[in-house]
Amino acid sequence: MADKVRYYLEQSVPELEDLQNKGLFDKNEITKIMRRRTDFEHRISGRGSKPSDFLRYCQYENNVEKLRKKRYNRLNSVGLIDLKPSISDWAGIRRIMFILDRATKKFPNDLELWNQYLKYAKENGAIKIIYKVYSSLLQLQPRNINAWLSACKYEFEINGNAKGTRILFQRALRINPDNLELWLNYCQFELTYVSKILARRKILSKEINEEDAAELTLPSEEHELDLPEVDIDMLGNPETNPALKGDVALAIFDAAPKTIDVIYKFIELFDKFPDLNDYLNSHVLRYLQREYPDDINTKFIDITLPLKDGEFQLSVNKFIAYQSKNSDKELKNMFIKKLKDYQNEDNQVLLNAIIKKLI
């Protein structure tokens, strides 16, 4: 153990010498830093070490790095420091990464260590390290759903790599085929991607006339849309390209393990995409009518879907049609409760009249 500690400490000597040569730390401070590092190295190398020991070590090194940057900026403001890049400029960050890497290898099941490792790597823009950490984490903990979702989110929202995100979701589902959260997030990703493509098409004015263009408000720089890079001419339109209507998301819906409760969750998800939800919900309704034709939830969903578009009369007509075939008090109570949920100042009189008539 002593040899290992000595080896790691010797690796930091060039960095400390550079800090002293630049005038960022004096000799006494360098000695104190080396003494503290020696204590930490002995602590984390021992058999009784804990994850918290590694985190405290990282916290100490992070404080040293913050102090270095503060002194560097102060000396730089008065022109008293050599601006030529040297080892001390990056050694602090690299050292913290190394400590966290050793920590995750020693305690691979400690999620806090993995989270801190990823957080620090992201804060410092260490893309290669981030990919390395995600790869190791997912190999060691393939059942960790949050890890898969975090990796997918990073790949899509930060890197803008839809293909890579899709591959990650599919790998996750091969290992965790019964996890509803993965299915829903995969579906949401595909719908988000299609929505961004359609938004880009609209912004590029491929299919809008001059009147529409005059009314189109482009996002400000502060709220700029993160749109995917695609060749619009290759996409066709929703009539010729089913993917633009949401058929990929529907394929996910069809493949996912489903119960009535799960179907409700998919409907809630589809409602977040108003440009696509009519087509998506129609598919869900056809599935319900095929698989659960006599279930009260099938009838309820069929009746209430028009309410989302404000088509109250159509909804009432469907309810009356179902009741004429087989009167169902439970269905009536469910429908009335749903109507009350849609009440607002504009339709309160109308819905009150409908509810009163139904009662």
Side-chain angles (χ1 to χ4, degrees):
M1 183 179 74
D3 291 339
K4 184 188 295 186
V5 170
R6 188 180 301 110
Y7 172 76
Y8 288 141
L9 292 174
E10 287 175 353
Q11 301 301 306
S12 68
V13 171
E15 166 209 348
L16 296 175
E17 289 178 345
D18 189 49
L19 289 172
Q20 186 174 353
N21 292 336
K22 282 190 169 184
L24 294 172
F25 291 89
D26 60 32
K27 186 175 181 179
N28 289 333
E29 289 174 323
I30 295 296
T31 301
K32 289 180 181 178
I33 291 173
M34 183 60 80
R35 188 179 299 124
R36 289 298 304 276
R37 285 181 176 176
T38 302
D39 292 340
F40 277 119
E41 286 293 343
H42 279 290
R43 191 176 303 170
I44 66 175
S45 299
R47 292 183 178 179
S49 62
K50 302 176 183 178
S52 57
D53 295 329
F54 285 90
L55 293 176
R56 279 194 290 268
Y57 192 3
C58 289
Q59 183 61 49
Y60 171 74
E61 291 293 345
N62 195 41
N63 290 337
V64 172
E65 178 63 13
K66 287 180 179 178
L67 181 59
R68 183 198 70 81
K69 289 181 179 179
K70 185 176 181 180
R71 291 182 176 180
Y72 181 92
N73 291 333
R74 187 173 67 244
L75 292 175
N76 183 37
S77 64
V78 293
L80 295 178
I81 193 168
D82 184 6
L83 297 179
K84 184 179 179 180
S86 59
I87 187 172
S88 63
D89 294 336
W90 58 80
I93 294 175
R94 187 176 62 181
R95 185 173 188 82
I96 294 172
M97 297 280 195
F98 181 55
I99 295 169
L100 289 168
D101 184 60
R102 291 158 63 192
T104 53
K105 287 178 179 177
K106 190 165 188 176
F107 300 99
N109 294 322
D110 192 290
L111 292 179
E112 178 62 19
L113 289 175
W114 288 105
N115 289 335
Q116 290 298 322
Y117 197 178
L118 282 169
K119 180 181 177 182
Y120 192 75
K122 290 176 181 178
E123 287 175 351
N124 290 278
I127 297 176
K128 290 184 179 180
I129 298 294
I130 294 170
Y131 276 112
K132 174 187 172 184
V133 174
Y134 273 129
S135 178
S136 299
L137 174 58
L138 295 176
Q139 287 178 11
L140 291 168
Q141 300 188 28
R143 300 289 183 181
N144 187 337
I145 305 303
N146 289 332
W148 284 107
L149 293 177
S150 175
C152 292
K153 182 178 180 180
Y154 176 80
E155 190 70 5
F156 184 54
E157 296 184 3
I158 306 301
N159 285 345
N161 184 355
K163 183 178 180 180
T165 306
R166 190 173 292 113
I167 291 172
L168 279 173
F169 269 119
Q170 291 170 359
R171 286 178 180 172
L173 286 169
R174 278 197 292 270
I175 299 171
N176 307 280
D178 298 324
N179 188 275
L180 174 60
E181 190 176 6
L182 274 176
W183 286 104
L184 289 172
N185 277 275
Y186 184 21
C187 188
Q188 182 171 0
F189 152 70
E190 292 291 358
L191 291 173
T192 301
Y193 183 61
V194 169
S195 297
K196 288 187 175 185
I197 290 175
L198 295 176
R200 185 178 184 84
R201 176 195 295 276
K202 188 173 183 180
I203 290 174
L204 293 179
S205 305
K206 279 289 182 178
E207 296 181 350
I208 59 176
N209 55 37
E210 292 182 0
E211 182 179 351
D212 293 331
E215 297 176 354
L216 181 61
T217 302
L218 295 177
S220 63
E221 292 183 1
E222 292 80 4
H223 301 88
E224 185 175 358
L225 287 175
D226 180 18
L227 300 173
E229 292 295 334
V230 293
D231 185 347
I232 298 296
D233 293 325
M234 293 179 62
L235 292 174
N237 54 60
E239 286 69 33
T240 60
N241 187 349
L244 293 179
K245 295 190 293 184
D247 275 18
V248 176
L250 293 180
I252 296 170
F253 169 81
D254 291 338
K258 290 179 287 296
T259 63
I260 291 295
D261 290 338
V262 171
I263 291 172
Y264 273 113
K265 290 184 181 297
F266 270 101
I267 291 175
E268 290 176 6
L269 172 60
F270 294 158
D271 287 342
K272 296 178 181 179
F273 300 88
D275 293 336
L276 304 169
N277 68 335
D278 287 344
Y279 178 74
L280 300 172
N281 286 331
S282 297
H283 178 88
V284 174
L285 181 59
R286 288 194 297 272
Y287 170 83
L288 285 168
Q289 291 172 336
R290 182 176 67 252
E291 300 295 331
Y292 306 95
D294 299 322
D295 192 285
I296 189 173
N297 290 285
T298 300
K299 300 174 184 177
F300 178 68
I301 291 173
D302 186 21
I303 292 169
T304 56
L305 279 179
L307 295 177
K308 301 177 187 295
D309 299 322
E311 298 180 6
F312 301 113
Q313 189 59 54
L314 176 59
S315 182
V316 171
N317 291 343
K318 287 191 173 188
F319 171 75
I320 293 173
Y322 277 116
Q323 290 295 83
S324 64
K325 294 179 182 178
N326 185 15
S327 181
D328 190 327
K329 186 176 180 180
E330 183 181 0
L331 180 62
K332 182 175 74 171
N333 292 335
M334 291 169 65
F335 183 47
I336 291 174
K337 184 176 182 298
K338 194 68 173 179
L339 287 173
K340 291 179 179 179
D341 292 339
Y342 277 89
Q343 281 185 326
N344 56 46
E345 294 181 358
D346 297 330
N347 61 32
Q348 187 171 5
V349 175
L350 173 62
L351 290 184
N352 281 338
I354 293 174
I355 293 171
K356 185 176 180 180
K357 187 175 181 180
L358 293 176
I359 294 175

